[in-house]
Amino acid sequence: MRTARRDTPKSPLARLLTGLAALLGLAVVGALCPAAAVAQSPGLQAAGLHISDGRLLEGNGNDFVMRGVNHAHTWYPGETQSLADVKALGANSVRVVLSDGYRWSENSPEDVAAVIDQCKANRLICVLEVHDTTGYGEDAAAGTLDHAADYWIGLKDVLAGEEDYVVVNIGNEPWGNTDPAGWTEPTVAAVKKLRDAGLQHTIMVDAPNWGQDWQGVMRANAQSVYDADPTGNLIFSIHMYSVFDTAQEITDYLNAFVDAELPILIGEFGGPADQYGDPDEDTMMATAEQLRLGYLAWSWSGNTDPILDLAIDFDPGRLSSWGERIFHGVNGIAQTSEEATVYGDDAPDDTRAPTAPGTPRASAVTDTSVTLGWAAATDDTAVAGYDVVRVGDGTETVVAATTTTTATVTGLTADTPYTFAVYARDAAGNRSARSATVDVTTDEGGGTPGGACSVGYRVVGEWPGGFQGEITVRNTGTASIGPWALAFAFADGQTITNMWGGTATQNAGAVSVAPAPYTSTIPAGGTVTLGFTGGKGATNTAPTAFSLNGASCTTT
């Protein structure tokens, strides 16, 4: 977990020990024997989401693989639009941070019920977790799993009947690095306490060592913890950060559970490198897809360390390079997510359409594009997105779709009048009335502008034979740029192996980048961010010159 509120950073000691674990502890994890592969007791038949043969299934027996993100609701309770935003980007699930009142302000039953309703309205599976347990035994402010279990029991009436939609994650990272062997007994006790109270939901349990299990306690004791659940409806959650910085560590850990037919998912993970190490998110995501295991990236927005923000300032239109990687990269959410089948014919009724958006305003008009902005619509659940239409001759044509209140329309003809309007839509597919229209006439011809640009290049992290880079392209001009082509050259034989935000073509050291559909236009004053992984030799000199559409850019 990377704490998601400015006044709740992880303790420096804990982060130091986690970093040391990346250097010293991994051999211990790799050497521990996996839990023995034994037949599991059938337990009781669980309603809704449930475990069978080491797999998370829906009530109808359909395999459900989580593809989603974490959202820091308890610290940002006003950011309820976030659930619609992550759904619009393709997520099928969301892990929601709650508090049981031990360390932070308790989320009330009414608030939790509203969160569940919002998840269902946006057709998401909702993982609810208590965050107060983080780092117990090492962080003096942390609460116990027993206290968290009491909180869930107090929510029994709210949770009743939601087994198809809700997973109960008892407590986040409920043990630090001090005596992590102490994790097993209270975890078993909390599971039994919830079952004795009658909760039938799928229960998720996090690992010790701040979730990363670098000493292998959860891995070694997983079978005994699983057997403590009389329903057999329990799934393990490993958090993968800097401890998991090699492919071997990741594949060994996940396969140990799969081979033992013990259910597991990656309940949190990070990708950007920091002073503690460089997580191998590519292997995490690839292995999760290969083994059909769930993953939930940390986190949507609001982190103490903004390098882990998927969206900048909760704006889905401003994804970070980390966000682009998660949503649009290889094995990412857009490519691999499948909506839960419970949201088929049995989806909750939502027949009320959003209100009409405000009248759009035009800006950054060029010969081939225009940027439109409008006041947000409202909805009784949540607005999922907007459709921009071109109006003419009694017809409408959708020309852009967005989850934000701005959109850039491209592919227009120079010196031509156009009329645009906007519709809002909710997660159930209800469409608002049309907004008022705006008339725009494009500029006279002159070609797509280029040259009014600056480029920033940085190496995010390096490892033997490879590295991760980031390129930020800024439009310093007064008109939109798009479509665009970026060119630069490597001096030391580096090769790009994977890119998100664009498509790279390389000939020897010369690289040309074409935009992805979601980065095809750079508005005036705006930026696009490209992330990539690459191969390198002993040296890794940064490119010194960049051009956009054939015109030189300044470097920053």
Side-chain angles (χ1 to χ4, degrees), residues 69 269 285 295 297 310 321-329 332-334:
V69 305
F269 68 106
M285 296 167 72
Y295 67 65
L310 297 160
S321 58
W322 174 227
E324 296 287 2
R325 174 71 188 94
I326 288 299
F327 287 105
H328 302 300
I333 287 174

Side-chain angles (χ1 to χ4, degrees), residues 18-33:
T18 301
L20 290 174
L23 299 174
L24 303 175
L26 291 169
V28 177
V29 176
L32 285 169
C33 296

Side-chain angles (χ1 to χ4, degrees), residues 257-502:
F257 281 78
V258 172
D259 291 346
E261 293 191 355
L262 288 167
I264 191 168
L265 84 163
I266 307 174
E268 287 185 20
F269 68 106
D274 58 22
Q275 64 267 44
Y276 305 105
D278 183 14
D280 184 1
E281 72 278 10
D282 290 341
T283 298
M284 296 175 201
M285 296 167 72
T287 305
E289 180 62 13
Q290 175 194 359
L291 299 176
R292 298 292 289 161
L293 303 178
Y295 67 65
L296 300 166
W298 187 274
S299 77
W300 178 240
S301 198
N303 282 284
T304 305
D305 184 352
I307 195 173
L308 284 169
D309 283 353
L310 297 160
I312 300 168
D313 295 331
F314 294 91
D315 183 351
R318 299 169 61 205
L319 294 182
S320 66
S321 58
W322 174 227
E324 296 287 2
R325 174 71 188 94
I326 288 299
F327 287 105
H328 302 300
V330 176
N331 297 312
I333 287 174
Q335 187 181 96
T336 65
S337 176
E338 297 179 11
E339 186 177 82
T341 58
V342 71
Y343 292 117
D345 295 337
D346 297 327
D349 291 335
D350 179 6
T351 59
R352 184 179 300 177
T355 62
T359 304
R361 305 173 305 281
S363 63
V365 180
T366 74
D367 55 339
T368 60
S369 66
V370 59
T371 297
L372 302 173
W374 54 88
T378 60
D379 189 58
D380 58 335
T381 56
V383 175
Y386 298 89
D387 296 319
V388 179
V389 296
R390 185 175 69 239
V391 182
D393 298 327
T395 64
E396 296 179 352
T397 302
V398 176
V399 292
T402 179
T403 59
T404 69
T405 55
T406 62
T408 299
V409 182
T410 60
L412 306 179
T413 302
D415 196 25
T416 302
Y418 292 92
T419 300
F420 299 101
V422 183
Y423 289 92
R425 47 186 163 76
D426 62 20
N430 300 308
R431 203 183 198 197
S432 73
R434 195 177 78 185
S435 73
T437 59
V438 61
D439 295 325
V440 180
T441 298
T442 52
D443 292 344
E444 295 182 0
T448 299
C453 55
S454 66
V455 175
Y457 178 96
R458 72 185 184 106
V459 173
V460 177
E462 293 188 81
W463 54 92
F467 72 107
Q468 179 179 336
E470 181 180 272
I471 303 171
T472 302
V473 184
R474 180 175 177 80
N475 178 0
T476 60
T478 59
S480 296
I481 299 175
W484 50 264
L486 179 72
F488 61 93
F490 286 121
D492 300 320
Q494 301 98 317
T495 57
I496 292 179
T497 55
N498 180 44
M499 176 172 278
W500 48 99

Side-chain angles (χ1 to χ4, degrees), residues 223-258:
Q223 189 69 56
S224 62
V225 173
Y226 184 85
D227 291 342
D229 183 357
T231 71
N233 193 16
L234 181 146
I235 188 168
F236 296 94
S237 173
I238 182 67
H239 294 183
M240 290 186 166
Y241 292 104
S242 56
V243 166
F244 291 91
D245 59 355
T246 70
Q248 192 68 49
E249 294 149 4
I250 294 162
T251 57
D252 280 354
Y253 195 93
L254 296 177
N255 275 291
F257 281 78
V258 172

